[in-house]
């Protein structure tokens, strides 16, 4: 085989997947941001989470120097130790200083953990290294705990910006391009080479191995253990994000944005409470029913059809109002546009009310007695009601 030009070779990761349309343009924009910040003497860091590592006497890829015939014994199965679990190294690489800071977590790789790692770097090294800094540029991948889609990431960064007094700008690499993040080949690759073939038997071994990483180019690394708790699945509402001092850039504001060192804005005032039902409208002169018949009809079980969620808004019409609107249509032939004005809703809401209330009326065999005359206008309807001391003041249309 060698005579024919063959040799033993591994696989080469060179085939790229589908590229996002603005990939190259985002690279250029990110590089411009880096050059501008560095020229002004402002800190620029590359951040990411390194591969999670099993803690214990597990096999670690690679080889290390040992006495001949005495390999380090490790477990034959890689089931996580229930006590030691996994180590989560989150790294911050300072481009100008060629220095790394690795925060080794023991809980969850969440946005809160990622921002706490940046906070520890700033308080432990960045503040002293850049005493006159007013801005910080963070370059990050598109996914993971620092994903551009993660609301908690932006919320935690806003808190850090306010605490540190920094204007924090974040530029994300496009999806599928994490290998171009400088922390990967300037910090993480050297850590992997430094501890190759060495079982990571404890958190202290991991921290010491990371901190001992150096290169001929002058890389220095600080590492520390973070035993803090970072619960997962913390919900951040859209309203909370809208209140953040966040400004999206003109170019791909989803990937590029800046958080000012200011407290979040006050949330908008809550919507006014829904107007109460006009119970006095359910008069026999309008409904054609006795009071007992009306109460029995409105208290009847609803249709078995499942109701759709209202997405935070109450229904435009209550069930009693739907029935009343339908009865007015049937008894007085009142146009839907007039009923929409009376109930403060849209034409479509009245039509929907008829579709939902008519089966109920049929189910209970409610025989609707025709009114004395058609009431085609709002003035005619209110004038008729006034004869029975019913005040049909139109309801205000609810704000949406």
């Amino acid at each position: 085989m060698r005579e024919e030009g063959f040799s033993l070779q591994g696989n080469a990761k060179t085939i790229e997947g589908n590229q996002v349309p603005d990939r190259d343009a985002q690279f250029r924009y990110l590089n411009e941001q880096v050059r501008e910040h560095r020229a002004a003497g402002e800190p620029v860091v590359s951040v990411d989470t390194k591969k999670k590592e099993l803690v214990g006497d597990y096999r670690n890829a690679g080889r290390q120097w040992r006495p001949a015939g005495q390999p380090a014994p490790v477990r034959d199965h890689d089931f996580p130790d229930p006590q030691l679990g996994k180590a989560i190294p989150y790294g911050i690489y300072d481009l100008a200083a060629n220095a790394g800071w690795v925060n080794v977590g023991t809980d969850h790789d969440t946005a809160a953990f990622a921002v706490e790692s940046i906070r520890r770097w700033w308080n432990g090294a960045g503040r002293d290294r850049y005493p006159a800094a007013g801005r910080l540029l963070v370059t990050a991948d598109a996914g993971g705990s620092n994903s551009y889609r993660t609301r908690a990431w932006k919320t935690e960064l806003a808190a850090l910006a306010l605490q540190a007094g920094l204007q924090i700008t974040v530029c994300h690499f496009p999806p599928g391009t994490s290998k171009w993040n400088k922390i990967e080949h300037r910090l993480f690759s050297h850590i992997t080479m430094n501890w190759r073939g060495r079982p990571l038997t404890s958190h202290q071994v991991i921290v010491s191995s990371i901190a001992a990483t150096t290169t001929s180019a002058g890389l220095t690394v600080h590492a520390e253990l973070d035993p803090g708790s970072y619960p997962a699945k913390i919900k951040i509402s859209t309203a909370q994000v809208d209140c953040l001092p966040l400004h999206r850039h003109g170019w791909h504001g989803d990937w590029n944005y800046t958080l000012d060192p200011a407290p979040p804005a006050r949330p908008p005032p809550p919507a006014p409470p829904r107007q109460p039902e006009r119970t006095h409208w359910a008069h026999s002169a309008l409904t054609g029913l006795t009071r007992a018949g009306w109460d029995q009809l409105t208290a009847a079980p609803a249709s078995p059809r499942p109701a759709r969620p209202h997405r935070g808004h109450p229904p435009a019409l209550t069930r009693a109002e739907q029935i009343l609107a339908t009865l007015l249509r049937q008894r007085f032939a009142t146009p839907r546009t007039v009923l929409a004005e009376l109930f403060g809703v849209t034409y479509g809401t009245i039509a929907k009310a008829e579709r939902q209330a008519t089966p109920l009326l049929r189910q209970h065999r409610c025989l609707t007695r025709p009114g004395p005359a058609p009431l085609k206008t709002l003035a005619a309807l209110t004038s008729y009601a006034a004869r029975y001391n019913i005040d049909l003041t139109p309801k205000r249309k609810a704000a949406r």
Side-chain angles (χ1 to χ4, degrees):
M1 296 295 289
R2 291 191 179 92
E3 291 176 358
E4 294 296 328
F6 287 81
S7 64
L8 293 173
Q9 300 182 36
N11 303 138
K13 288 186 176 181
T14 57
I15 302 175
E16 297 185 353
N18 296 332
Q19 298 181 6
V20 294
D22 296 325
R23 188 187 94 147
D24 293 344
Q26 174 63 8
F27 281 155
R28 288 192 291 270
Y29 185 83
L30 189 150
N31 289 333
E32 290 172 3
Q33 292 290 316
V34 171
R35 283 195 295 268
E36 190 274 327
H37 278 74
R38 291 191 61 177
E42 305 287 3
V44 178
V45 296
S46 172
V47 303
D48 196 14
T49 305
K50 194 182 183 301
K51 181 176 75 71
K52 299 176 180 64
E53 303 288 348
L54 289 171
V55 183
D57 49 352
Y58 298 97
R59 179 182 181 274
N60 194 5
R63 295 180 294 176
Q64 65 171 334
W65 291 103
R66 289 184 59 85
Q70 299 182 29
V74 295
R75 304 186 189 188
D76 57 357
H77 288 82
D78 291 341
F79 298 119
D81 187 300
Q83 299 298 325
L84 297 177
K86 293 183 178 181
I88 309 169
Y90 192 92
I92 297 92
Y93 175 72
D94 187 335
L95 274 64
N98 191 24
W101 181 289
V102 180
N103 192 39
V104 181
T106 60
D107 192 34
H108 295 95
D109 182 20
T110 64
F113 169 66
V115 175
E116 176 61 23
S117 300
I118 300 174
R119 180 181 288 107
R120 289 186 173 212
W121 164 80
W122 174 250
N123 292 332
R127 189 191 304 275
D128 294 336
R129 192 174 294 154
Y130 303 96
R135 295 181 296 162
L136 169 65
L137 175 62
V138 177
T139 64
D141 292 350
S145 56
N146 44 232
S147 168
Y148 69 92
R149 296 188 182 93
T150 305
R151 294 173 175 177
W153 162 252
K154 298 180 178 68
T155 303
E156 295 290 344
L157 278 178
L160 173 60
L162 179 61
Q163 180 187 49
L166 292 171
Q167 186 183 66
I168 300 179
T169 296
V170 183
C171 292
H172 292 272
F173 285 87
T177 62
S178 60
K179 66 180 180 181
W180 299 105
N181 198 349
K182 285 184 169 54
I183 195 173
E184 298 288 347
H185 48 85
R186 292 193 182 181
L187 177 61
F188 288 164
S189 61
H190 299 299
I191 293 173
T192 300
M193 290 292 293
N194 185 58
W195 68 23
R196 66 187 185 279
R198 183 186 312 168
L200 304 176
T201 54
S202 67
H203 288 99
Q204 189 55 49
V205 167
I206 293 175
V207 171
S208 300
S209 300
I210 293 174
T213 303
T214 58
T215 66
S216 58
L219 172 70
T220 59
V221 184
H222 172 87
E224 60 183 38
L225 185 65
D226 182 356
S229 175
Y230 300 96
K233 299 180 179 180
I234 300 297
K235 301 296 183 182
I236 305 295
S237 68
T238 302
Q240 289 177 278
V241 175
D242 291 342
C243 293
L244 296 179
L246 184 147
H247 307 287
R248 299 186 183 277
H249 295 194
W251 167 255
H252 257 293
D254 51 343
W255 293 342
N256 309 287
Y257 47 87
T258 297
L259 291 144
D260 293 329
R266 289 186 177 181
R274 193 180 188 280
Q275 298 181 67
E277 284 186 350
R278 309 297 175 88
T279 54
H280 60 282
W281 286 7
H283 192 282
S284 58
L286 296 177
T287 64
L289 303 173
T290 64
R291 188 67 195 185
W294 170 261
D295 292 340
Q296 182 181 5
L297 184 63
T298 55
S303 169
R305 178 184 299 177
R308 293 183 179 179
H310 299 296
R311 300 182 181 275
H313 295 292
L317 292 176
T318 65
R319 188 171 176 224
E321 290 171 335
Q322 290 178 340
I323 295 172
L324 178 58
T326 304
L327 290 173
L328 292 175
R329 280 279 292 163
Q330 294 181 357
R331 297 196 68 220
F332 303 101
T334 306
R336 289 172 181 163
T337 52
V338 173
L339 293 175
E341 184 179 359
L342 176 65
F343 286 95
V345 294
T346 63
Y347 178 96
T349 301
I350 297 297
K352 180 180 178 182
E354 286 188 77
R355 291 195 301 270
Q356 294 181 345
T358 299
L360 181 66
L361 297 176
R362 291 174 181 168
Q363 178 184 355
H364 291 272
R365 299 178 181 179
C366 181
L367 300 177
T368 306
R369 295 178 300 180
L375 302 174
K376 298 289 189 178
T377 65
L378 183 60
L381 185 60
T382 55
S383 176
Y384 171 79
R387 300 177 198 170
Y388 300 91
N389 296 322
I390 305 171
D391 180 15
L392 286 187
T393 303
K395 299 179 71 172
R396 296 190 309 274
K397 187 173 182 179
R400 292 285 174 173

